[in-house]
Amino acid sequence: MPEPTTEDDEAKTRKLIAENIRRVEEMLRFLPLPAGTVDDLRAKIGLLRTILLEQRAPAFALVGRRGAGKSSTVNAIFGAKVAEVGHVRARTGRGKWFDHTTERGALSILDTRGIQEGSKPADEDDAPDAVASILAELKRKSPDVVVFLIKSTETDSAIDADLAALERIYAEVERYHRFRPPLVAIATHCDVLEPKATRLHRADLEPREDVEEKLAHVSEVEHHLESKIKDRPKLAPHLVWVRGVSTYMSFREDGTLRSDERWRVDELVGALFKQLPDAGRGTFVRIARVRGLQDELASNLSRATAAICAGIAALPIPVGDIVPITTLQITLVAAIAWLSGRPLDKKAASEFLGAMGANVGAGFLFREGARALIKFVFPGAGSMVSGAVAFAGTLSIGSAARAYFLRDATIEEAKRVFADEKAATEEDPQKTGE
Ligand SMILES: Nc1nc2c(ncn2[C@@H]2O[C@H](COP(=O)(O)OP(=O)(O)OP(=O)(O)O)[C@@H](O)[C@H]2O)c(=O)[nH]1
Ligand SMILES: [Mg+2]
């Protein structure tokens, strides 16, 4: 549905959203609601603003020796070839924060290889100045999450040197930023554990005993890795997630995908998402395209927007309907489309809203209709009900947009979601559209 958008359109949309958010914040001061509720709405507006206007590249420090799978992990998250893998002597992005960028967004990666080999460089790539560079970079910017990687076939051998390097990184970050980032530890190359030929990423096609045997090996490796980290008091408190994974993808010369043998990368992405601040989460779900996470954020935004719309509907002056409720609903649709990986586009969002039959006019009718009705039944109780109606309508728009943009529903199906849910939530406003 959306036509190609230029960066100009994106910038324009962004500006409009900023303007609307500012206006809504101003209106909050006039809301006849208890202070606690107003604070809560303010936090919800903050979420909208952070997700839509204040995104930055999530920052990950990758710690693992040569060949552990650092570049492959970056590619596995993007689902595309953005980093050089294997024996390519690319210095790009080594020892410095480097933004791996696609049109969906950027990940800021600090590849710390060289820090463990620093005292005795294995080759000219790992010169001691790599260590100085890494330390300077850690001072310049703190990672949001530290990812420790080790080959699942090597967790016994030199792991102690790797963990010592990891401690060194934590000490630097703490010293400069007074922050101890969460630690995610992964045992890579799980596909090559015995029985080697058993495909974990296609376990459904493999004999069950073989899969079980392989999973038992994965679990052994995980326990070993976990206990090694737990043995170190400087690392143990920060460990949030340990798993065996496989990040293997094979790309042709032209960068197209030849084979995708990723296993548990969605879980890894989920674990990283959980540790990120909101300012990195929008970008991250666009890049990693894990539907469940996109939907989780979309659902949070829907609930936040619905609550704000309900708050605005409680304003005793009718101006609340004419402008912000509808524009906030358009903003919500634009946000959900954006989370799916599309450009930020207000026009496409209003078209979607129009297709739902929930355009400016309908938004106005939501409230006027309900108010007229309720005034007839209980004079004076109007604003309460219109708040519930605005809440239900906005939540239903969010659900329809989630179906269309995140689950590839057709417009007709999205319309049905909208209508069904609006009817259900108006009856029982406790329902949150889940
Ligand atoms: N079988 C298998 N191979 C993998 C996996 N992850 C990475 N590889 C391969 O292992 C080799 C090294 O992976 P890289 O991602 O380049 O490792 P790295 O940590 O970036 O290595 P350096 O950049 O040299 O420090 C490449 O040939 C990858 O294709 C995995 O999970 N399974
Ligand atoms: Mg690499």
Side-chain angles (χ1 to χ4, degrees), residues 52-287:
L52 284 166
L53 304 172
E54 294 168 357
Q55 285 297 298
R56 59 165 176 79
F60 300 121
L62 305 186
V63 187
R65 79 182 80 142
R66 161 157 274 196
K70 298 178 295 298
S71 304
S72 299
T73 298
V74 173
N75 291 337
I77 292 171
F78 276 96
K81 187 173 176 182
V82 298
E84 288 299 343
V85 160
H87 301 295
V88 183
R89 297 213 164 184
R91 300 204 62 135
T92 329
R94 180 157 304 153
K96 293 228 184 286
W97 281 111
F98 181 80
D99 279 3
H100 291 281
T101 308
T102 69
E103 76 281 1
R104 281 178 304 180
L107 286 188
S108 193
I109 300 290
L110 180 61
D111 185 331
T112 66
R113 199 196 99 201
I115 197 162
Q116 55 273 68
E117 293 107 321
S119 53
K120 201 161 52 104
D123 59 45
E124 85 279 7
D125 267 7
D126 299 331
D129 67 339
V131 179
S133 169
I134 292 163
L135 299 181
E137 290 293 284
L138 287 169
K139 179 174 181 180
R140 189 160 76 79
K141 177 163 98 177
S142 167
D144 294 313
V145 183
V146 174
V147 182
F148 178 72
L149 305 90
I150 189 147
K151 261 190 188 173
S152 54
T153 49
E154 291 177 358
T155 52
D156 282 326
S157 46
I159 190 172
D160 290 312
D162 291 15
L163 291 174
L166 188 58
E167 283 183 341
R168 183 156 183 206
I169 284 166
Y170 267 91
E172 291 303 308
V173 175
E174 155 114 66
R175 182 149 81 101
Y176 296 126
H177 306 283
R178 306 256 143 247
F179 172 58
R180 280 159 292 224
L183 173 61
V184 164
I186 55 179
T188 60
H189 292 71
C190 278
D191 52 305
V192 303
L193 292 171
E194 280 301 315
K196 199 171 166 214
T198 303
R199 294 163 302 172
L200 289 169
H201 66 290
R202 292 314 314 266
D204 52 325
L205 303 178
E206 302 285 355
R208 209 170 139 172
E209 322 81 72
D210 294 350
V211 173
E212 271 163 18
E213 188 183 331
K214 192 153 186 154
L215 288 176
H217 286 132
V218 171
S219 152
E220 248 169 62
V221 166
E222 290 170 346
H223 283 123
H224 182 68
L225 175 56
E226 179 167 2
S227 66
K228 279 287 187 181
I229 295 174
K230 290 273 167 78
D231 278 350
R232 295 191 176 239
K234 286 183 188 143
L235 298 176
H238 317 307
L239 184 64
V240 292
W241 201 77
V242 188
R243 286 291 189 288
V245 302
S246 173
T247 56
Y248 185 79
M249 297 172 93
S250 168
F251 299 97
R252 297 188 191 87
E253 286 284 302
D254 65 357
T256 54
L257 186 63
R258 184 185 291 121
S259 77
D260 180 355
E261 299 176 21
R262 287 178 292 175
W263 178 66
R264 284 192 178 166
V265 168
D266 279 6
E267 285 174 55
L268 168 64
V269 164
L272 294 172
F273 173 83
K274 222 172 126 185
Q275 303 303 326
L276 285 176
D278 287 329
R281 284 183 160 182
T283 309
F284 193 60
V285 302
R286 270 172 69 91
I287 288 172

Side-chain angles (χ1 to χ4, degrees), residues 15-83:
K15 217 173 136 199
L16 272 168
I17 290 172
E19 174 63 17
N20 282 329
I21 287 180
R22 196 189 55 74
R23 281 169 68 188
V24 170
E25 272 181 329
E26 231 161 59
M27 291 177 75
L28 270 189
R29 288 189 291 143
F30 302 106
L31 281 184
L33 295 170
T37 313
V38 171
D39 288 344
D40 181 50
L41 289 181
R42 218 176 278 287
K44 291 186 155 100
I45 291 170
L47 178 70
L48 271 180
R49 188 197 300 107
T50 307
I51 297 294
L52 284 166
L53 304 172
E54 294 168 357
Q55 285 297 298
R56 59 165 176 79
F60 300 121
L62 305 186
V63 187
R65 79 182 80 142
R66 161 157 274 196
K70 298 178 295 298
S71 304
S72 299
T73 298
V74 173
N75 291 337
I77 292 171
F78 276 96
K81 187 173 176 182
V82 298

Side-chain angles (χ1 to χ4, degrees), residues 1-2 326 329-330 333 346-363 366 396-397 400-401 404-405 409-419 422:
M1 184 176 72
T326 313
Q329 290 169 341
I330 292 172
V333 174
K346 195 164 182 288
K347 192 161 151 276
S350 29
E351 278 166 18
F352 176 83
L353 216 60
M356 292 300 101
N359 54 20
V360 182
F366 273 167
S396 316
I397 286 162
Y404 181 75
F405 292 107
T410 62
I411 280 284
E412 287 311 310
E413 287 163 343
K415 256 172 132 160
R416 214 166 313 129
V417 169
F418 174 67
K422 192 158 97 51

